Amino acid sequence: MTLKTNKLANPFRYIAGGRALWWGVPAIAAGSVLLWSSHMVQDSLIHFTFARLPLWQVAAWQSALWLLTALPLWTAGTLLSRSRVRLIDLLGTSALCQWLITALCLPGCLPPVRSALSDAARLFGNLPATEAPIAATATEHFRSAAGAWLLLDGVWSLLFLALYLLYLYRAYALCCNLSGAKAVTSYAVTMLAAGIASRFLYSWIY
Amino acid sequence: MNKEKRLPKLCPACGGELRVTGMRCPDCDTGITGEFHLPALLQLPGDEQRFVLQFVLSSGSLKEMAAKLELSYPTVRNKLDEIIAHLKAYDPQDE
């Protein structure tokens, strides 16, 4: 395998800690802007929903989600690994993984996807009774191209969500020097717990 | 042609641990025979021996090693932990 392929397959072999954090924090910011502009929010680790929140709230929540991922993984690693696990490595590499969430949100910039998402937000979001005619228009619109754009966006999102989880696992396994069933099980349990915690926290705050 | 010769550690016939039985001074041709265990460090594979050498030359700084090897800190630390595990397996008394 060439160095370039290696770097793509597991970039954390080459970048972690403070350097990864330096490159990862802009990803959290960019992801927040993209989510905010598409009137969406990541209400748990693997779930997105429609919400019209101010930009600062979306950014604050995205940062909270990043910490809700990195801190439990660091705790699990510290408990299970024989190596000395540094918090900065987990913070940096999980921030770097946020570029995949940013990529996931990218289609929201395309005008047809953005329009389809807006319609969907009006249809499935908190719709006041006075906006019923808008819903009717949106339903009509949905039968046409908007549905196809939403479907494409859905497939794209699933792909990048899967990549995000895979790369986060690679970061966790490398930073905590864990492998095999121990790494997979502890990662799955930690992510499940963090996912549930983030969902509850979101409904509690917003 | 100066080809780097690798020191064999296991017997090709039975897989048992090889021991040094002779040494010779190339200057005065004095020879010593006996049976000597290989030190744990010499039992490491070549790449791990080079890693240990680099580690010592970097004053034991993993950060410096990571910068030199263009690898991340956890990658270098994991390699060191792997070598420690190998050394412990070769020389369990050192634990």
Side-chain angles (χ1 to χ4, degrees):
Chain A
M1 211 187 271
T2 63
L3 185 68
K4 233 178 195 174
T5 330
N6 253 332
K7 277 188 176 176
L8 272 181
N10 196 349
F12 316 112
R13 278 178 58 83
Y14 306 92
I15 182 169
R19 247 180 89 216
L21 194 62
W22 174 258
W23 288 104
V25 168
I28 299 172
S32 304
V33 171
L34 287 177
L35 281 170
W36 168 77
S37 64
S38 346
H39 309 301
M40 292 196 82
V41 69
Q42 191 179 352
D43 61 344
S44 81
L45 288 182
I46 54 163
H47 192 262
F48 294 79
T49 191
F50 299 106
R52 284 175 188 269
L53 296 177
L55 177 60
W56 74 267
Q57 280 191 17
V58 179
W61 177 247
Q62 283 305 109
S63 308
L65 270 183
W66 160 58
L67 292 177
L68 272 171
T69 316
L71 291 175
L73 287 176
W74 172 72
T75 310
T78 306
L79 291 173
L80 296 171
S81 176
R82 287 180 168 191
S83 297
R84 195 179 137 256
V85 182
R86 300 191 313 171
L87 178 59
I88 187 78
D89 287 327
L90 263 315
L91 285 174
T93 50
S94 57
L96 206 57
C97 288
Q98 288 288 323
W99 278 113
L100 290 162
I101 296 294
T102 308
L104 182 154
C105 304
L106 267 181
C109 293
L110 298 171
V113 178
R114 179 172 290 206
S115 149
L117 283 173
S118 295
D119 289 346
R122 274 181 285 180
L123 261 182
F124 306 115
N126 297 324
L127 181 71
T130 49
E131 287 187 35
I134 301 170
T137 321
T139 316
E140 277 303 309
H141 189 56
F142 253 55
R143 292 193 186 120
S144 57
W149 281 111
L150 272 188
L151 185 68
L152 279 176
D153 184 39
V155 172
W156 174 274
S157 302
L158 274 179
L159 174 74
F160 276 90
L161 203 55
L163 279 174
Y164 168 72
L165 291 173
L166 175 72
Y167 275 80
L168 197 59
Y169 167 75
R170 285 179 178 168
Y172 167 69
L174 185 94
C175 293
C176 303
N177 198 11
L178 292 170
S179 59
K182 198 176 179 182
V184 175
T185 314
S186 59
Y187 174 72
V189 170
T190 310
M191 288 302 284
L192 190 69
I196 293 169
S198 61
R199 196 69 193 254
F200 274 109
L201 199 63
Y202 180 83
S203 15
W204 183 59
I205 296 176
Y206 302 104
Chain B
M1 203 163 113
N2 273 336
K3 252 192 170 178
E4 188 193 355
K5 284 199 271 184
R6 275 177 288 180
L7 184 70
K9 289 173 285 271
L10 296 176
C11 169
C14 72
E17 185 199 332
L18 290 173
R19 287 175 190 179
V20 178
T21 56
M23 285 187 280
R24 190 182 68 84
C25 170
D27 294 332
C28 67
D29 213 25
T30 299
I32 300 169
T33 54
E35 196 175 291
F36 307 96
H37 283 281
L38 279 175
L41 278 175
L42 280 182
Q43 293 187 47
L44 291 172
D47 64 318
E48 293 189 351
Q49 285 183 30
R50 279 190 290 277
F51 185 94
V52 173
L53 187 68
Q54 283 276 329
F55 183 61
V56 174
L57 291 174
S58 308
S59 311
S61 164
L62 285 176
K63 272 187 189 168
E64 203 180 311
M65 283 278 289
K68 266 187 195 167
L69 299 171
E70 293 182 350
L71 293 170
S72 68
Y73 177 93
T75 307
V76 176
R77 185 214 48 214
N78 292 354
K79 182 74 184 167
L80 182 67
D81 286 346
E82 198 182 308
I83 293 174
I84 292 171
H86 285 164
L87 286 174
K88 281 181 177 170
Y90 294 141
D91 203 354
Q93 291 159 335
D94 281 0
E95 273 193 74

Short mmCIF file of all heavy atoms in Angstrom, two decimals, chain A residues 12-16 83-84 86 174-175 177, chain B residues 63 70-75 77-78 81-82:
data_model
loop_
_atom_site.label_atom_id
_atom_site.label_comp_id
_atom_site.label_asym_id
_atom_site.label_seq_id
_atom_site.Cartn_x
_atom_site.Cartn_y
_atom_site.Cartn_z
N PHE A 12 -4.87 8.89 11.01
CA PHE A 12 -4.46 9.11 12.41
C PHE A 12 -3.11 8.49 12.72
O PHE A 12 -2.53 8.76 13.75
CB PHE A 12 -5.55 8.59 13.35
CG PHE A 12 -6.91 9.01 12.89
CD1 PHE A 12 -7.82 8.08 12.41
CD2 PHE A 12 -7.25 10.34 12.86
CE1 PHE A 12 -9.05 8.47 11.93
CE2 PHE A 12 -8.47 10.76 12.38
CZ PHE A 12 -9.38 9.81 11.91
N ARG A 13 -2.62 7.64 11.83
CA ARG A 13 -1.25 7.11 11.98
C ARG A 13 -0.25 8.26 11.80
O ARG A 13 0.88 8.19 12.25
CB ARG A 13 -0.97 6.03 10.94
CG ARG A 13 -1.50 4.65 11.30
CD ARG A 13 -1.21 3.68 10.18
NE ARG A 13 0.22 3.58 9.88
CZ ARG A 13 1.09 2.83 10.55
NH1 ARG A 13 0.66 2.09 11.54
NH2 ARG A 13 2.35 2.81 10.22
N TYR A 14 -0.68 9.29 11.08
CA TYR A 14 0.23 10.38 10.73
C TYR A 14 -0.11 11.69 11.42
O TYR A 14 0.73 12.57 11.54
CB TYR A 14 0.24 10.57 9.20
CG TYR A 14 0.55 9.29 8.49
CD1 TYR A 14 -0.46 8.44 8.06
CD2 TYR A 14 1.88 8.89 8.31
CE1 TYR A 14 -0.18 7.22 7.46
CE2 TYR A 14 2.17 7.69 7.70
CZ TYR A 14 1.14 6.86 7.28
OH TYR A 14 1.43 5.66 6.69
N ILE A 15 -1.37 11.82 11.85
CA ILE A 15 -1.77 13.08 12.49
C ILE A 15 -2.68 12.78 13.68
O ILE A 15 -3.63 12.01 13.55
CB ILE A 15 -2.41 14.05 11.46
CG1 ILE A 15 -2.78 15.37 12.13
CG2 ILE A 15 -3.59 13.45 10.74
CD1 ILE A 15 -3.16 16.47 11.15
N ALA A 16 -2.34 13.37 14.82
CA ALA A 16 -3.15 13.22 16.03
C ALA A 16 -2.80 14.37 16.95
O ALA A 16 -2.01 15.25 16.57
CB ALA A 16 -2.86 11.88 16.70
N SER A 83 -1.87 1.10 27.45
CA SER A 83 -1.03 2.25 27.08
C SER A 83 -1.55 3.50 27.76
O SER A 83 -2.68 3.55 28.22
CB SER A 83 -1.06 2.46 25.57
OG SER A 83 -0.53 1.37 24.91
N ARG A 84 -0.68 4.51 27.77
CA ARG A 84 -1.09 5.79 28.33
C ARG A 84 -1.89 6.52 27.25
O ARG A 84 -1.37 6.83 26.18
CB ARG A 84 0.15 6.60 28.71
CG ARG A 84 -0.17 7.75 29.61
CD ARG A 84 1.09 8.51 29.98
NE ARG A 84 0.84 9.95 29.91
CZ ARG A 84 1.27 10.72 28.93
NH1 ARG A 84 1.98 10.22 27.96
NH2 ARG A 84 1.00 12.00 28.93
N ARG A 86 -3.78 9.70 25.79
CA ARG A 86 -3.82 11.15 25.97
C ARG A 86 -5.16 11.71 25.49
O ARG A 86 -5.62 11.38 24.38
CB ARG A 86 -2.69 11.82 25.17
CG ARG A 86 -1.30 11.38 25.55
CD ARG A 86 -0.26 12.26 24.91
NE ARG A 86 -0.51 12.49 23.47
CZ ARG A 86 0.17 13.37 22.75
NH1 ARG A 86 1.12 14.09 23.30
NH2 ARG A 86 -0.08 13.52 21.47
N LEU A 174 -6.56 3.42 17.47
CA LEU A 174 -5.15 3.81 17.42
C LEU A 174 -4.73 4.63 18.65
O LEU A 174 -3.72 4.34 19.27
CB LEU A 174 -4.88 4.64 16.16
CG LEU A 174 -3.41 4.99 15.98
CD1 LEU A 174 -2.72 3.95 15.10
CD2 LEU A 174 -3.23 6.35 15.39
N CYS A 175 -5.56 5.59 19.01
CA CYS A 175 -5.20 6.47 20.14
C CYS A 175 -5.17 5.69 21.46
O CYS A 175 -4.45 6.06 22.37
CB CYS A 175 -6.17 7.63 20.26
SG CYS A 175 -6.04 8.76 18.88
N ASN A 177 -4.66 2.33 21.58
CA ASN A 177 -3.90 1.09 21.37
C ASN A 177 -4.76 -0.14 21.69
O ASN A 177 -4.35 -1.02 22.47
CB ASN A 177 -2.63 1.10 22.21
CG ASN A 177 -1.62 0.08 21.73
OD1 ASN A 177 -1.76 -0.49 20.65
ND2 ASN A 177 -0.59 -0.18 22.53
N LYS B 63 7.69 12.35 21.34
CA LYS B 63 7.28 13.46 20.48
C LYS B 63 8.35 13.71 19.41
O LYS B 63 8.02 13.91 18.24
CB LYS B 63 7.10 14.74 21.32
CG LYS B 63 5.72 14.88 21.89
CD LYS B 63 5.58 16.22 22.56
CE LYS B 63 4.28 16.28 23.33
NZ LYS B 63 4.18 17.43 24.22
N GLU B 70 7.83 11.17 11.03
CA GLU B 70 6.62 11.72 10.38
C GLU B 70 5.40 10.85 10.65
O GLU B 70 4.60 10.56 9.76
CB GLU B 70 6.85 11.91 8.88
CG GLU B 70 7.88 12.98 8.58
CD GLU B 70 8.11 13.21 7.11
OE1 GLU B 70 7.61 12.43 6.30
OE2 GLU B 70 8.79 14.18 6.78
N LEU B 71 5.29 10.42 11.90
CA LEU B 71 4.14 9.63 12.33
C LEU B 71 3.48 10.36 13.50
O LEU B 71 4.07 11.27 14.07
CB LEU B 71 4.58 8.24 12.79
CG LEU B 71 5.14 7.31 11.71
CD1 LEU B 71 5.76 6.08 12.34
CD2 LEU B 71 4.06 6.90 10.72
N SER B 72 2.26 9.94 13.85
CA SER B 72 1.61 10.60 14.98
C SER B 72 2.13 10.02 16.30
O SER B 72 2.67 8.91 16.33
CB SER B 72 0.09 10.43 14.89
OG SER B 72 -0.25 9.08 15.08
N TYR B 73 1.94 10.77 17.37
CA TYR B 73 2.42 10.34 18.68
C TYR B 73 1.84 8.97 19.07
O TYR B 73 2.61 8.08 19.47
CB TYR B 73 2.06 11.42 19.72
CG TYR B 73 2.42 11.06 21.14
CD1 TYR B 73 3.65 11.44 21.68
CD2 TYR B 73 1.54 10.34 21.93
CE1 TYR B 73 3.98 11.11 22.98
CE2 TYR B 73 1.87 10.00 23.23
CZ TYR B 73 3.08 10.39 23.75
OH TYR B 73 3.40 10.05 25.03
N PRO B 74 0.52 8.76 18.96
CA PRO B 74 0.00 7.44 19.37
C PRO B 74 0.57 6.27 18.55
O PRO B 74 0.76 5.17 19.08
CB PRO B 74 -1.52 7.54 19.18
CG PRO B 74 -1.81 8.86 18.66
CD PRO B 74 -0.57 9.68 18.62
N THR B 75 0.88 6.51 17.27
CA THR B 75 1.45 5.45 16.44
C THR B 75 2.80 5.03 17.00
O THR B 75 3.10 3.84 17.12
CB THR B 75 1.61 5.93 14.98
OG1 THR B 75 0.37 6.44 14.53
CG2 THR B 75 2.06 4.83 14.06
N ARG B 77 3.94 5.61 20.07
CA ARG B 77 3.77 5.04 21.41
C ARG B 77 3.31 3.58 21.31
O ARG B 77 3.78 2.71 22.06
CB ARG B 77 2.76 5.88 22.20
CG ARG B 77 2.60 5.46 23.64
CD ARG B 77 1.18 5.66 24.11
NE ARG B 77 0.23 5.12 23.16
CZ ARG B 77 -0.96 5.64 22.92
NH1 ARG B 77 -1.33 6.74 23.53
NH2 ARG B 77 -1.78 5.07 22.05
N ASN B 78 2.41 3.30 20.37
CA ASN B 78 1.93 1.92 20.21
C ASN B 78 3.08 0.99 19.80
O ASN B 78 3.15 -0.15 20.25
CB ASN B 78 0.82 1.85 19.15
CG ASN B 78 -0.44 2.55 19.61
OD1 ASN B 78 -0.53 2.99 20.75
ND2 ASN B 78 -1.41 2.67 18.73
N ASP B 81 5.10 0.33 22.84
CA ASP B 81 4.40 -0.62 23.72
C ASP B 81 4.52 -2.05 23.20
O ASP B 81 4.64 -3.00 23.97
CB ASP B 81 2.92 -0.23 23.85
CG ASP B 81 2.75 1.01 24.75
OD1 ASP B 81 3.71 1.36 25.45
OD2 ASP B 81 1.67 1.61 24.72
N GLU B 82 4.50 -2.17 21.87
CA GLU B 82 4.65 -3.49 21.23
C GLU B 82 6.05 -4.05 21.52
O GLU B 82 6.20 -5.24 21.85
CB GLU B 82 4.48 -3.29 19.72
CG GLU B 82 4.18 -4.52 18.92
CD GLU B 82 4.09 -4.16 17.44
OE1 GLU B 82 3.33 -3.24 17.09
OE2 GLU B 82 4.80 -4.79 16.65
#
